[in-house]
Amino acid sequence: MNMLIGYGAILLFTVLVVVVMSRGRRVDKSMSEYATGGRSFSSWYGTMAFLNTWLAGTMFISFAGLTASAGAIGFYSLSYSLLSVVLMFFLGTPVNKWGRIHDLRTQADLLGLRYNSRSVRVIAALIGVLASIPWVVLGMQSLGLVFSTLSFGQVSPYVAVVIGVLFIAARQIWTVKLGTRGLIISDMVQGIFAYGVGFLVILGLMVWLITNGHGFNEVSPSLLQLPGPGSAAGPFYLFSLIFTGMMGAWCWPDLFVRMFSVKTPKTVQKSAVQAAPIMFLFSAALTTVCLLATSIPSVSDAPDTVWFILAGIGGVGMVAIAGVCVVAATMGNVGANLQAVGTQLANDVIGVHKHERIESAKGAKIAVAAITLISAGAALLMANQVSGLIVVAFVSYQAICQLAPTLLLGIFWRRGTAAAANAAMVSGILVAAVLELMYPSPLSIPWLGGLTSGVAGLIVNLAVYLVVSVVKPAPAAEQARVDALFAGLKKKETISEGALT
Amino acid sequence: MVDILLLLAPPVHWLFSDGQATIWYFLVANALVTLSLFGLWMTRDADEEATP
């Protein structure tokens, strides 16, 4: 009976999401409409799309587990997430405006325009695709814990991972069919449940913990320490974690394209302003409740299950709701990743290889379906090796953030060149990869004061970008083209109505 | 810039690196960054784009 309630809750929620997606369905025949949802969404859709893409289901599992095992350092994810929102505010105008004026569909498309370079576009696209796939596989596998918990002991952990992978892969039928428009509409439903209902559950659990002898004074002092001078991790370790997270955020193709999907630059900025308090309240509450839960003995034995251990206080119904929160957050992240990766592959790798601008959505749909099948296959093959994949996922974060100087300086600085971008991305990834191989665990490098391989790579990356841009500036004609591109940002444009409200 | 200093500067991390101060540092600093976004919104360039 308990399993019926648990699995039934997930089934009901999934049916609700699919019904809402299907009701908002419009046929996106062109690649641009499929990739951007017709650039038609209002700020609240933008807010929820950003949150549902950024705050994945693993917030309730791995990030909650990190706080439950390592303590207050778990708040670092809140810090880099909010700095990412601040960046979103400033990126909104150039990204959205260039996207609309030049019909951009992907992050790599924007870089191709800015640097007038096929190689920059392809390298950026391949980095984005290769770094994203481990996270898709991990996202699929993370549902294993949900299906295992909601079976209340009826299903083995391995079978639960298989069920989770098949479930999330089947859900992608609608991602493939409906593209970004369907994703953003479903993000609203999924986001309301994951962070709205989830927040209410967290508040209830926090009150219970504080009133039942699990207050702040009961948290072990060892869990209330941050790495500083003289610590094992190194004085710059926390800085590195937050800096890598902030720089890497907008390098993820799935998150970046959200800025193309809303109506205007002002809508992007408004989405950021609306996302910040939701992000703050939800993430701060979740991290705090996980910290308070550390005084519960069973939590230290299995920190990754802290969310479900806490939900168990409220009985079967509460565990089912907790499971749906994880599923809702995972659906948004996995769907967004698959859609962005598939579209980028079709638009920026196959399209560039064929020397043609792909106009039909069909190619992207096939690419999204193919990536879904490959990811699901990989997730099933590695169903018993989740820990190994987490390492690959961490490494992929060190790699994806190497796009940051090329992306951010390209958007905010006129003098960066294609040669600088190519040299910077390649050198940054090489440095990060070599250091990662030399210092695989923990992530910090002792002789660099605790900097991670990603930050060390970024320092080299940034230096190479600046030196090459200054030493070998763009030819006059290319500089004039870039100047015209930036000048276009100052011009006023009128945006047509017909948007989804 | 203030947001970056508050959340990223290592000396600030070291200042609040022990005891319950760590929790309050993260909560207060992140609350301030959240509020700063409202400040940015209020002071943004209103002429940046035309009204649809």
Side-chain angles (χ1 to χ4, degrees):
Chain A
M1 184 60 187
N2 287 351
M3 183 175 168
L4 194 67
I5 293 171
Y7 280 34
I10 290 179
L11 186 65
L12 272 177
F13 180 74
T14 308
V15 169
L16 172 71
V17 170
V18 169
V19 167
V20 173
M21 282 175 89
S22 302
R23 279 169 67 93
R25 181 178 182 179
R26 268 191 232 171
V27 179
D28 289 331
K29 286 183 182 170
S30 77
M31 178 69 144
S32 290
E33 285 193 341
Y34 183 76
T36 66
R39 307 181 202 278
S40 61
F41 287 91
S42 65
S43 63
W44 277 112
Y45 279 96
T47 296
M48 214 47 104
F50 164 72
L51 290 172
N52 208 199
T53 304
W54 184 241
L55 296 172
T58 195
M59 285 292 295
F60 293 100
I61 299 171
S62 300
F63 282 86
L66 175 72
T67 305
S69 59
I73 196 172
F75 277 106
Y76 88 96
S77 66
L78 171 61
S79 295
Y80 78 69
S81 297
L82 278 171
L83 287 173
S84 307
V85 181
V86 174
L87 260 180
M88 179 183 179
F89 188 91
F90 291 106
L91 285 168
T93 297
V95 173
N96 185 278
K97 219 164 188 174
W98 278 342
R100 186 175 293 278
I101 295 170
H102 302 282
D103 188 28
L104 304 177
R105 296 115 171 219
T106 63
Q107 180 193 64
D109 218 0
L110 181 138
L111 290 174
L113 168 80
R114 165 61 183 83
Y115 291 103
N116 196 22
S117 164
R118 286 154 50 95
S119 57
V120 170
R121 187 172 166 190
V122 173
I123 290 174
L126 287 175
I127 292 174
V129 170
L130 293 176
S132 296
I133 288 178
W135 286 89
V136 173
V137 175
L138 198 64
M140 288 178 160
Q141 290 187 338
S142 70
L143 287 184
L145 180 62
V146 177
F147 283 97
S148 172
T149 305
L150 294 186
S151 77
F152 294 91
Q154 301 293 308
V155 170
S156 73
Y158 178 78
V159 174
V161 171
V162 173
I163 294 172
V165 171
L166 294 177
F167 166 80
I168 199 75
R171 161 70 178 77
Q172 302 317 313
I173 290 170
W174 289 275
T175 301
V176 173
K177 277 169 66 178
L178 303 177
T180 296
R181 192 185 301 277
L183 274 177
I184 293 182
I185 292 169
S186 65
D187 282 342
M188 181 59 85
V189 184
Q190 291 156 187
I192 288 171
F193 207 96
Y195 320 118
V197 174
F199 180 66
L200 295 177
V201 171
I202 292 167
L203 279 190
L205 293 172
M206 200 183 293
V207 170
W208 186 91
L209 285 167
I210 290 171
T211 54
N212 282 273
H214 299 284
F216 288 107
N217 291 331
E218 278 66 50
V219 177
S220 164
S222 65
L223 296 175
L224 296 175
Q225 287 183 338
L226 301 177
S231 66
F236 300 117
Y237 183 56
L238 180 58
F239 159 81
S240 284
L241 292 180
I242 298 172
F243 187 69
T244 313
M246 177 186 79
M247 297 304 279
W250 293 104
C251 298
W252 293 106
D254 58 342
L255 203 66
F256 195 84
V257 295
R258 294 289 164 265
M259 290 190 282
F260 289 146
S261 307
V262 294
K263 282 189 269 189
T264 65
K266 185 180 165 188
T267 316
V268 180
Q269 294 180 327
K270 199 172 178 187
S271 297
V273 173
Q274 290 166 176
I278 299 173
M279 172 92 76
F280 172 71
L281 289 173
F282 173 79
S283 296
L286 180 61
T287 311
T288 304
V289 88
C290 292
L291 196 58
L292 295 175
T294 53
S295 55
I296 297 174
S298 56
V299 168
S300 56
D301 296 335
D304 277 357
T305 61
V306 59
W307 175 241
F308 289 109
I309 291 173
L310 286 174
I313 294 165
V316 178
M318 182 82 99
V319 174
I321 291 170
V324 175
C325 287
V326 182
V327 170
T330 304
M331 276 182 181
N333 178 265
V334 170
N337 244 322
L338 286 169
Q339 209 274 341
V341 166
T343 306
Q344 195 150 284
L345 205 56
N347 190 62
D348 304 296
V349 179
I350 297 169
V352 169
H353 180 68
K354 286 184 169 177
H355 295 272
E356 67 177 61
R357 183 151 175 89
I358 294 176
E359 296 298 346
S360 164
K362 193 178 169 188
K365 287 184 181 183
I366 292 170
V368 175
I371 296 284
T372 304
L373 290 175
I374 291 168
S375 304
L380 289 174
L381 279 174
M382 294 185 282
N384 276 330
Q385 302 164 23
V386 178
S387 59
L389 200 67
I390 286 171
V391 174
V392 177
F394 278 141
V395 173
S396 73
Y397 212 110
Q398 310 303 317
I400 193 83
C401 71
Q402 302 308 324
L403 280 178
T406 294
L407 184 69
L408 299 177
L409 286 175
I411 289 171
F412 294 118
W413 190 49
R414 297 174 185 216
R415 292 191 62 187
T417 63
N422 282 329
M425 284 191 287
V426 172
S427 58
I429 283 191
L430 285 177
V431 170
V434 168
L435 289 173
E436 189 65 41
L437 288 171
M438 288 169 68
Y439 302 95
S441 181
L443 289 171
S444 64
I445 301 163
W447 55 273
L448 289 177
L451 292 183
T452 57
S453 61
V455 174
L458 271 174
I459 293 168
V460 173
N461 184 332
L462 178 64
V464 168
Y465 187 96
L466 294 174
V467 168
V468 175
S469 294
V470 171
V471 171
K472 196 183 170 201
E478 171 60 11
Q479 192 57 55
R481 188 195 68 84
V482 174
D483 287 342
L485 206 58
F486 278 84
L489 294 175
K490 305 276 184 201
K491 288 182 187 163
K492 289 186 176 182
E493 56 162 344
T494 303
I495 291 141
S496 63
E497 284 288 6
L500 222 141
T501 53
Chain B
M1 188 53 81
V2 175
D3 291 348
I4 287 176
L5 278 176
L6 266 177
L7 296 184
L8 264 180
V12 180
H13 298 157
W14 304 336
L15 193 63
F16 302 102
S17 64
D18 200 18
Q20 288 189 16
T22 56
I23 304 173
W24 298 114
Y25 156 65
F26 279 115
L27 293 179
V28 172
N30 281 293
L32 289 173
V33 171
T34 303
L35 288 174
S36 78
L37 269 157
F38 285 93
L40 282 171
W41 175 253
M42 302 294 281
T43 55
R44 79 190 189 284
D45 182 2
D47 295 330
E48 208 164 63
E49 65 183 295
T51 309

